Structures are given as C-alpha cells and as structure tokens.
Amino acid sequence: MEDYELYTLPNGIRIVHKQVPHTQIAHCGIMLDIGSRDELPQQEGLAHFWEHMAFKGTKKRKSFHIINRLETVGGELNAYTTKEKVCFHASVLGLHFEKATELLADIAFHSVFPEKQIEKERSVILEEMAMYYDSPEDALQDDFDQVVFKNHPLGGNILGRPETVRSFTREQLQQFISENLDTERVVFASVSNWPFSKVKKIATKYFSDIPHRTSERKRLAPGDYEPQRVTVERPITQAQCAIGRPAYALPDARRLPFFMLVNLLGGPGMNSRLNMNLREKYGLVYSIEASYTPFLDTGFLGIYFGTDQKHLDRSVAQIGREMKILREKPLTKLQLHNTKEQLMGQLAMSEESNQSLMLTMAKSILDTGKLDSLEEIFAEIRQVDAVLLQNLANEMFDESQLSHLIFIPEPDEDA
C-alpha cells in the first residue's frame, strides 16, 4: 500500500491513514481484534450482540442521537462482526470527519447497554436469525462452518444460538469486553483527503483517553480435522450443497498462491472453471462460487451451489472433475499468465472503493502489522509458477479430505 501513514498512541491503539486528494468523502472505522471465535459456549453470539448494542446508548447519547448524528449530514454509520473481528465504521463528507471519529469512539468505548434496549435488541436479533434460517443459501454457509470446524468456536454461528441470545445480560456484555479488549489490538483506519497531521490530531483527541488494556485471551487452534458428509432434509425446493475443508492460515506463505488457485477454480469471474462447466456448459446451476478465508491459525475453503435435486450428484461429480484436472494437469504458460492477470486486475479494482480500502487497511494492520502495496502483491503473484499451483491443488483438492453438507427438499407427503 503506497503512501499510508501509521502512528501508535501511548495506549497501544494504532492509527493508519491514507490520503486520497481527489475524494470529497471520508471513510473511517474502528476495528477490534475480537470476534465470535473468542466466545465461550454460553456466550455464542455475544460479539454480534455487542455490535448491535453499541448503537443503543452511550454515557452521553441515547440511541436516537447516535442514529441521527451522521444521518442528518448525509453520512452513514454501520458495523459488522466476523469470526475474528468487530468493526464500527462511518462514511461522511470530509468536513464532518471529526464528527464521525468522535461518534465512533463513543459507541466503541463508552456504550452503556441500557437494559430496556437489551430486551428490544434481543428480539431484533432473533428475527435476524429466523431470516437467515429461512434463506437456505445463508443457512448452508453458517451450518457448514460447524461441519468443518466441529466442536470449535470457528464453527459457531456468528449470530449465536436462540437459547444463548435469549440469556444475554448487561453484565455478560461488560465482562466479555473486559476479558477480550486489548488496546494494542485496536486500529483506527481512515481514507480521506485530509492530511495525516490533522487525522492524527483528531484521533489523538478522541482515543488517547482510552486506558491502556491488555487481554490474557488465548485463541485455541482447531484440532484434528475429519471430513464429514452430512445430508439434511429441509422445506426447500432446490438442493443446496457446500463442499470444503480447512485451508492455509494467514501467516502461511502459500496463502496468496492458494487464493489464486481458488480464484481460478470458482472465483467471482464468470470465466471461473466451475461456472464455465456447471452453468455455461451443462446448465446445472444458476450460480456457483468457491471462496478461501484465512484465519489466524487455520483457513477455510468453501464451494457453494444450488441445483435441482436430480442434478446434485452430477454437479458434485463435475466439481470433482475440475479439481482433478487442476491436480493432474499443470497450467499452460498462457493459462498461468491469464490467471495472474485476472487476479491482479481484481485486486486493483478492489482498491478503487475507498471504503473497502479503509477496512482492508485496518484488518491488515491487525493481522500482519503492515500494509503491502499493490506492486508488492503483484510481484509475489508474478513469482508463482504452475508447479506450485499443481502441488497446492494436490494437497487441498484431495477429494477424500473434503467435507460435504447437503440440504435436500423434504419429501412431498402428498406424492
């Protein structure tokens, strides 16, 4: 990443900024290295509950004032929770950057979690869980995590379970934050036309009063993996299938080459091998995707598609065929060149979104302590050869090591 600047406050909170002179919009966010994998079994869903409750009242604001603080100037305030992160972020006209920064600091560090709001938000989240359950594509992905990471927090649903969500108290929220908050694992990121000197001054004003805190939390790596095949009947009309396994962790040098391989197999491009085969050649699916998510100490490969139940076995066989080709046939010089060019183009275009860039900056600083420039990433991509990709395919696309989760329609009782 070219031209970014980084500063660490005495309490350990890091400030990372990239100045983009031509933009009128400021994007900023606070990312904390706390996620659903840090929950105990009775806490499942608590990180996500915190994300919701942060907007419901602080020491000096009620929820109404939080919601309207940026909306009245045309800005946006949002948040999300992942397996390893909680993030609060905002986008505003540049002249309102300080207002957004102050509000983010307030909700992230000074929320009071009013009891009445807890009861309301409990109902909201239970409705959110029901909505996801009613969407088989979403439910499949959530449930497949548990198949691959059985009996490990990475396998838990970020939203939690209905019984845990119904049990959460204000004291549990405060205890969870107290046990997991580490100011040395917090990053404030921004992308705007502001010079770093002003960003640093404003960030220091609103974050320097946060007491330095460390956490004794120890994340446990997943245990031994055993592939599973699980079939579940559900009230759906189309079969849904997930195929995958654990993959390479964030620090692994094979991470970027494997990302390239998965992109070739089933990435967002319409020319991915799975899309060209299952959709374009045989018309078996409307959409199919393969994705790779690296975590601190492991990773996750997932392939997802829906199809008519009568086409399920054929679809799975075609996926196996494409994996076999990648295991047995090294890419030609032209195929390798095109694979590299496509990934480099996708990465470059992702940086065109300043909001995505801001979030990527925060995550990269938390995960690796640095930001790689596009040219550094491109140089690494250019070094990848066909032999390495074939070796990765043989290791990760071994069909005997793949797990399957399949949703099939319930039988028609009237038939």
Side-chain angles (χ1 to χ4, degrees), residues 230-283:
V230 180
T231 302
V232 180
E233 291 183 355
R234 291 194 54 165
I236 53 179
T237 58
Q238 184 187 51
Q240 297 287 332
C241 181
I243 302 171
R245 58 165 297 167
Y248 305 116
L250 268 165
D252 198 305
R254 296 166 291 184
R255 176 170 60 92
L256 184 58
F258 185 59
F259 185 79
M260 184 190 310
L261 184 67
V262 174
N263 200 56
L264 169 66
L265 176 69
M270 292 293 287
N271 66 337
S272 76
R273 293 196 173 189
L274 293 182
N275 191 72
M276 293 299 292
N277 182 314
L278 277 79
R279 174 174 169 147
E280 299 299 327
K281 186 174 182 180
Y282 294 111

Side-chain angles (χ1 to χ4, degrees), residues 101-132:
T101 302
E102 185 274 333
L103 181 62
L104 288 172
D106 196 30
I107 64 174
F109 298 108
H110 303 296
S111 292
V112 294
F113 313 124
E115 295 283 2
K116 288 184 179 180
Q117 293 288 353
I118 286 177
E119 293 308 313
K120 290 179 183 178
E121 210 57 30
R122 196 192 313 279
S123 297
V124 169
I125 292 174
L126 289 170
E127 288 298 324
E128 183 181 4
M129 295 173 77
M131 179 185 70
Y132 277 102

Side-chain angles (χ1 to χ4, degrees), residues 327-366:
R327 292 198 309 268
E328 296 181 351
K329 295 182 180 180
L331 298 184
T332 65
K333 186 176 293 187
L334 179 60
Q335 288 172 333
L336 180 62
H337 172 78
N338 290 343
T339 298
K340 293 178 178 181
E341 289 294 315
Q342 182 169 10
L343 180 57
M344 289 189 288
Q346 290 172 346
L347 291 173
M349 283 193 288
S350 70
E351 284 207 2
E352 286 294 298
S353 165
N354 287 335
Q355 183 184 69
S356 296
L357 176 59
M358 178 272 295
L359 296 172
T360 298
M361 288 165 54
K363 186 175 186 300
S364 185
I365 291 296
L366 278 178

Side-chain angles (χ1 to χ4, degrees), residues 183-231:
T183 50
E184 295 180 14
R185 303 294 300 163
V186 175
V187 168
F188 174 73
S190 73
V191 174
S192 70
N193 61 10
W194 284 53
F196 183 61
S197 58
K198 290 188 176 181
V199 171
K200 177 182 172 183
K201 182 178 180 180
I202 290 171
T204 299
K205 178 179 178 181
Y206 295 110
F207 295 114
S208 60
D209 66 334
I210 308 300
H212 177 260
R213 299 173 67 167
T214 57
S215 171
E216 299 299 320
R217 176 197 69 195
K218 301 292 183 184
R219 284 175 169 163
L220 300 176
D224 294 336
Y225 163 73
E226 293 183 6
Q228 300 183 72
R229 186 180 181 93
V230 180
T231 302

Side-chain angles (χ1 to χ4, degrees), residues 19-146:
Q19 185 176 18
V20 180
H22 63 267
T23 185
Q24 296 297 312
I25 305 299
H27 302 280
C28 53
I30 298 170
M31 190 173 289
L32 305 97
D33 196 37
I34 304 170
S36 63
R37 72 170 299 177
D38 301 310
E39 299 161 348
L40 299 173
Q42 67 272 22
Q43 297 175 326
E44 288 183 15
L46 198 50
H48 175 255
F49 202 89
W50 169 29
E51 173 216 315
H52 276 239
M53 285 303 303
F55 293 82
K56 301 306 175 183
T58 67
K59 294 176 181 178
K60 64 181 180 181
R61 289 186 174 97
K62 294 187 182 296
S63 60
F64 173 84
H65 302 110
I66 292 171
I67 292 170
N68 279 279
R69 180 69 171 161
L70 300 185
E71 294 282 345
T72 54
V73 294
E76 296 178 353
L77 178 65
N78 215 328
Y80 63 86
T81 306
T82 69
K83 302 284 186 178
E84 296 185 328
K85 306 285 186 287
V86 170
C87 180
F88 306 98
H89 59 97
S91 300
V92 291
L93 279 171
L95 61 97
H96 299 301
F97 172 75
E98 181 170 358
K99 182 179 288 189
T101 302
E102 185 274 333
L103 181 62
L104 288 172
D106 196 30
I107 64 174
F109 298 108
H110 303 296
S111 292
V112 294
F113 313 124
E115 295 283 2
K116 288 184 179 180
Q117 293 288 353
I118 286 177
E119 293 308 313
K120 290 179 183 178
E121 210 57 30
R122 196 192 313 279
S123 297
V124 169
I125 292 174
L126 289 170
E127 288 298 324
E128 183 181 4
M129 295 173 77
M131 179 185 70
Y132 277 102
Y133 182 81
D134 285 343
S135 169
E137 297 89 347
D138 293 325
L140 179 80
Q141 296 192 28
D142 287 336
D143 291 356
F144 191 49
D145 290 348
Q146 181 58 48

